[in-house]
Amino acid sequence: MAATQLRAQQQLSGSVEPGQPLAVRTPDGLRLSARAYGDPGHPEIVLVHGLGQSRLSWELQTDSALVQRFRIVTFDLRGHGDSDKPDEAPAYADGARWADDLGAVIAAAKLRRPTLVGWSLGGLVIGHYVARRGIDGIGGINLVNAVTKLSPDLLTQTSLDYAGRLASPDLSARTEAIARFLAACFAEMPSAEAFARMLVFNGMVPRAVQQGVVRIGNDGLDEAFARAPRLLVTFGAKDALTRPEMSRRLLTLNPRATLSIYEQAGHTPFYEDAERFNRELGDFASS
């Protein structure tokens, strides 16, 4: 096990979570759970996690040397982790709400010009944020095996199959789908202990989230990604959930974009090869 992975597991076995809590309220009244790490005077990074995950997904970034160089903010998306969880699908079906959530986090943390990092669903959240609020005030965007458009031809059949099962009214079917979906995120599985902990926060996500996210529209996303003056596209080549075209198409949309391929990683290159990912993110966010 990598030393950073071991430290992260040891850290979370304690009674006090690292970082400083942030009080975040969304325009529609939800409370989002967020934390900040590092010196407020340093360059800023906001890490946006994927579907079914949580801010704890970024342990190998928040417990790394990045915190010595950057102000890092993580948060639980609506319906995830310790954030509020409306029990109606429409609360998760509008891209504007997800965009407003990210805006509320940036405002609460008093960030000046952050680099936005979006993994999986997090990429869709960032796209809607830029589509509605523009690129001013954003230092750069790093999309990590990101969903850049909800389109069946850009998702694998595995991903499409899980879309229905994760929203199943049958608890047995849904439970099995959550475990299998999480396993599909990795080309190289994490330790049994780490995977068990990940299952806990994946299981906290209500059905309404799964029912709502599939309805999020794509209006303005391509134009938003095309406007980004600095765009790093990170892709794990063994991804079982998104097709390579989901990430590669950004190079056509935005000629300023650069692509970094992790040949041995799956849907989670930031976890499976954290040292390389942290190095590349640090270089990108500081340039």
Side-chain angles (χ1 to χ4, degrees):
M1 181 185 300
T4 51
Q5 294 182 9
L6 180 60
R7 286 199 304 274
Q9 292 184 27
Q10 292 172 335
Q11 188 177 57
L12 286 173
S13 65
S15 59
V16 179
E17 187 176 347
Q20 302 83 42
L22 298 173
V24 182
R25 285 281 179 179
T26 70
D28 59 348
L30 300 187
R31 182 190 62 83
L32 300 183
S33 181
R35 300 190 80 84
Y37 305 79
D39 191 323
H42 287 167
E44 303 150 340
I45 297 173
V46 180
L47 302 172
V48 188
H49 67 76
L51 178 63
Q53 313 298 325
S54 84
R55 68 178 189 273
L56 299 182
S57 300
W58 302 106
E59 294 167 359
L60 303 187
Q61 285 66 58
T62 58
D63 184 42
S64 77
L66 285 173
V67 176
Q68 306 305 316
R69 301 170 53 199
F70 298 95
R71 177 70 162 175
I72 298 179
V73 174
T74 64
F75 69 104
D76 292 327
L77 292 170
R78 60 173 54 217
H80 295 71
D82 278 342
S83 290
D84 285 348
K85 299 175 175 63
D87 199 29
E88 306 82 23
Y92 307 100
D94 185 355
R97 296 198 189 209
W98 299 90
D100 287 345
D101 291 354
L102 178 53
V105 170
I106 292 172
K110 297 181 173 58
L111 303 183
R112 306 174 301 275
R113 193 174 177 80
T115 294
L116 303 181
V117 181
W119 165 44
S120 197
L121 175 64
L124 202 67
V125 174
I126 291 172
H128 279 287
Y129 176 86
V130 174
R132 285 158 175 77
R133 303 198 178 199
I135 202 66
D136 291 345
I138 301 302
I141 298 173
N142 180 196
L143 298 175
V144 186
N145 286 72
V147 176
T148 58
K149 183 178 183 179
L150 275 177
S151 179
D153 61 317
L154 298 175
L155 297 166
T156 67
Q157 189 58 50
T158 297
S159 185
L160 295 172
D161 289 344
Y162 281 126
R165 286 188 278 167
L166 288 168
S168 172
D170 184 293
L171 179 60
S172 177
R174 193 166 71 252
T175 300
E176 180 181 6
I178 290 170
R180 291 183 180 274
F181 178 79
L182 178 59
C185 289
F186 299 93
E188 181 179 347
M189 290 291 289
S191 70
E193 179 184 0
F195 188 79
R197 289 178 45 257
M198 293 174 191
L199 272 178
V200 173
F201 56 71
N202 273 258
M204 295 169 67
V205 178
R207 283 181 62 219
V209 173
Q210 311 292 351
Q211 295 170 319
V213 294
V214 295
R215 306 179 196 173
I216 298 174
N218 296 314
D219 290 349
L221 292 180
D222 285 0
E223 294 80 3
F225 293 129
R227 288 202 302 269
R230 301 181 62 250
L231 180 60
L232 172 61
V233 181
T234 302
F235 183 69
K238 294 184 177 181
D239 191 353
L241 301 174
T242 68
R243 298 187 183 278
E245 292 77 16
M246 180 77 84
S247 292
R248 289 187 181 276
R249 72 190 201 92
L250 295 168
L251 302 183
T252 301
L253 290 174
N254 189 330
R256 296 175 297 280
T258 58
L259 176 65
S260 180
I261 299 177
Y262 290 59
E263 294 290 352
Q264 302 305 314
H267 196 58
T268 58
F270 64 93
Y271 190 94
E272 295 176 73
D273 194 349
E275 290 187 8
R276 174 183 167 184
F277 178 84
N278 292 352
R279 181 176 66 253
E280 292 184 356
L281 174 56
D283 291 344
F284 178 72
S286 63
S287 62

